[in-house]
Amino acid sequence: MSAPKILVVDDEAHIVELVKFNLEKEGYKVLEAYDGLTAVEMVEKYLPDLIILDIMLPNMDGLEVCRTLKQKLEYCTIPIIMLTAKGEEIDTVLGLEMGADDYIKKPFSPREMVARVKARLRALKILQAEKAMGKKAYVFKDLTVVPEKYEAFLGEEKLDLTPKEFELLTLMASNQGKVFTREVLLEKVWGYEFSGDTRTVDVHIRHLRQKLKDDSNYPQYIETVRGVGYKFVDS
């Protein structure tokens, strides 16, 4: 099996070299581009498996490159990880709105960057396999949920979830942005005959958040809707 091709796009040569060095250590084939127009041309020519894309680029900025690629059917499924400078929150949001799959803030840890790449490539492989088999998978940031296999991954790590934790996660992940009351979660996950109270939901949500490494004050996945219940956060 050939090594996955990763296109690294940044106008700073030392950033490209840093990313290339660490990815090649992991066995990936690395392509390089130093401006937006060249990046689009290289995608058309080489069809990379993943793109690491800086926002600030000459000729065509990274946001425009992302928008252009995501609008084309033949390239729209290629995962794009945006590189953003610290404090560029608006650009980060715009990138995600234009279809970017993830982002890393500069300066970044090479280990974190490699982990994000591995997670995105693994998630893409799962999605492709599930699509070919007519099954369904849900991918949000570093989290991948495969309902029919009763499996969930956080990055490369397979999560050790109880059946009820998995059912809660699947229900909310498959209804992104929908608010569930505790009573509805009890009904859907535990069933009509469950005689417990809504504190059961809170306990399971707390355990689930711990396994997802999710901070309730700054949730990446599960958000508390005060006075109502919970929801899976919007991308």
Side-chain angles (χ1 to χ4, degrees), residues 49-96:
D49 297 284
L50 182 142
I51 303 168
I52 296 178
L53 179 64
D54 188 33
I55 287 182
M56 301 300 292
L57 294 170
N59 297 329
M60 177 189 292
D61 67 36
L63 295 174
E64 183 64 18
V65 171
C66 181
R67 187 188 66 81
T68 298
L69 295 175
K70 290 297 184 179
Q71 286 182 341
K72 296 186 178 182
L73 186 61
E74 60 268 46
Y75 310 130
C76 65
T77 59
I78 299 175
I80 295 178
I81 299 176
M82 305 291 295
L83 294 179
T84 68
K86 188 176 181 180
E88 291 181 339
E89 297 295 339
I90 294 177
D91 287 342
T92 298
V93 172
L94 286 173
L96 294 173

Side-chain angles (χ1 to χ4, degrees), residues 180-218:
F180 289 95
T181 65
R182 293 170 175 82
E183 291 76 16
V184 168
L185 289 173
L186 273 175
E187 176 186 312
K188 289 185 176 295
V189 175
W190 280 266
Y192 290 101
E193 303 303 319
F194 183 72
S195 58
D197 61 30
T198 56
R199 284 176 294 183
T200 299
V201 174
D202 296 330
V203 171
H204 279 75
I205 290 290
R206 185 171 71 250
H207 291 165
L208 185 54
R209 278 174 166 160
Q210 290 172 350
K211 293 177 180 180
L212 293 173
K213 301 179 176 65
D214 203 12
D215 185 345
S216 60
N217 294 317
Y218 303 97

